[in-house]
Amino acid sequence: MPGSELYEKFMALHTRDGGLVMPNAWDGLSALMLADAGFEAIATSSAALAATLGRSDGRHEVTRDEHLEHARLLGRLTGLPVNGDFEDGYGDTLEDVAATVEAAVESGLAGIGVEDTSGNPDQPIRDFDEAVNRIRSAVDAAKGRIVVTGRTDNFIQGRPDLDDTIRRLTAFAEVGADVLYAPFPPDLDALVAIVTAVAPTPVNVLVSPSDKVLTVAELQKAGVKRISLGPLLYTQAMGALEQATKALVAGDLASATTGGTSFDRINELLARTTN
């Protein structure tokens, strides 16, 4: 599907009544399970991908090419629109960000997220002007061929400044970001303030505000247009593995090996791939 057509299809999911729930896969099988469940689009998770590779997220330990290969796999297996959670755009310069967006378009992605993070733990959030210019560079490179999400990580980087968060998101919208995203606002009031300030640009929420997990219907009522899950489905799966390993250490083979997905089910899903 040509980039502009894919862009229109993916954006339509954001602008319709109710928007969409867009879960994040971390490998081929998880992507197939999400597709089989009926989700209309899926996303990568930079954190989950990094963890599967034994690396840390947000520290430039996963390369652009590795993430692109991963995203292409998810799209190829499922045939669904894939949104790439591409950290800070993979590079220090505006040209790097533009090159990442162009590579994502060429790889057939439907969307790409660019954060205002730096990869530097001593100064994790980029200065305002630099952050805005990077989103502008992403939008200019996109040329209406891929949905660009402008994201600020203020809240998850220990900067609980709602005014600065809204200032950044508003500026991202002004330079053309299609979707806006600030993971884990402190509460529903803060979330509503964000949605109101940037309207009509669609807002993505990672599960819920940080103080309480809401329902999909409650988030939709607040004006949220896209709900993603980041690495949280992956951590759910790893939680089940940890419980099984504890049972195994205790000598309880039955608890360690029962209750999971059967290989017949896995083979059934693999047989449905679009390869």
Side-chain angles (χ1 to χ4, degrees):
M1 182 182 298
S4 58
E5 185 180 347
L6 183 57
Y7 170 90
E8 296 294 341
K9 176 182 177 181
F10 192 38
M11 273 306 298
L13 299 178
H14 295 75
T15 56
R16 68 184 180 182
D17 289 344
L20 75 155
V21 177
M22 184 184 69
N24 305 66
W26 61 90
D27 63 7
L29 185 59
S30 62
L32 287 166
M33 286 184 171
L34 296 172
D36 186 63
F39 290 102
E40 298 169 274
I42 58 175
T44 67
S45 161
S46 65
L49 171 59
T52 65
L53 297 172
R55 306 176 199 168
S56 298
D57 182 39
R59 295 291 180 264
H60 298 159
E61 293 185 12
V62 176
T63 69
R64 177 176 66 195
D65 287 346
E66 286 174 323
H67 201 152
L68 285 167
E69 181 179 1
H70 171 67
R72 285 194 295 266
L73 171 68
L74 304 188
R76 185 172 69 248
L77 291 176
T78 65
L80 293 177
V82 175
N83 189 78
D85 176 28
F86 272 45
E87 300 189 37
D88 66 348
Y90 291 111
D92 287 332
T93 70
L94 301 182
E95 292 77 15
D96 290 332
V97 175
T100 296
V101 172
E102 185 64 42
V105 172
E106 293 174 358
S107 295
L109 272 67
I112 184 169
V114 178
E115 308 164 3
D116 59 2
T117 55
S118 67
N120 177 3
D122 296 325
Q123 190 176 359
I125 299 293
R126 295 178 187 269
D127 291 340
F128 176 84
D129 288 341
E130 182 185 11
V132 174
N133 285 333
R134 290 170 71 85
I135 299 298
R136 180 186 287 111
S137 182
V139 170
D140 289 347
K143 298 184 178 71
R145 299 172 296 162
I146 189 170
V147 172
V148 175
T149 297
R151 167 174 160 174
T152 176
D153 276 10
N154 269 349
F155 297 128
I156 60 175
Q157 291 293 344
R159 291 164 51 110
D161 188 335
L162 178 60
D163 289 340
D164 183 63
T165 295
I166 290 175
R167 178 181 178 231
R168 286 171 180 260
L169 294 178
T170 301
F172 296 166
E174 289 173 349
V175 298
D178 300 295
V179 181
L180 302 170
Y181 182 17
F184 295 130
D187 51 39
L188 181 59
D189 287 345
L191 173 58
V192 171
I194 289 169
V195 170
T196 302
V198 303
T201 307
V203 170
N204 181 90
V205 165
L206 176 60
V207 181
S208 278
S210 61
D211 66 332
K212 181 182 180 182
V213 177
L214 304 176
T215 66
V216 169
E218 287 171 330
L219 290 169
Q220 290 171 336
K221 185 178 180 180
V224 170
K225 283 298 190 176
R226 191 174 81 193
I227 302 167
S228 60
L229 283 79
L232 296 178
L233 290 180
Y234 174 72
T235 59
Q236 286 285 94
M238 292 302 100
L241 174 61
E242 189 166 37
Q243 290 302 310
T245 60
K246 289 178 179 178
L248 185 58
V249 168
D252 184 355
L253 289 171
S255 296
T257 60
T258 58
T261 301
S262 72
F263 238 92
D264 286 342
R265 170 63 173 156
I266 290 172
N267 285 330
E268 175 192 351
L269 289 168
L270 293 174
R272 300 181 189 179
T273 67
T274 59
N275 279 335

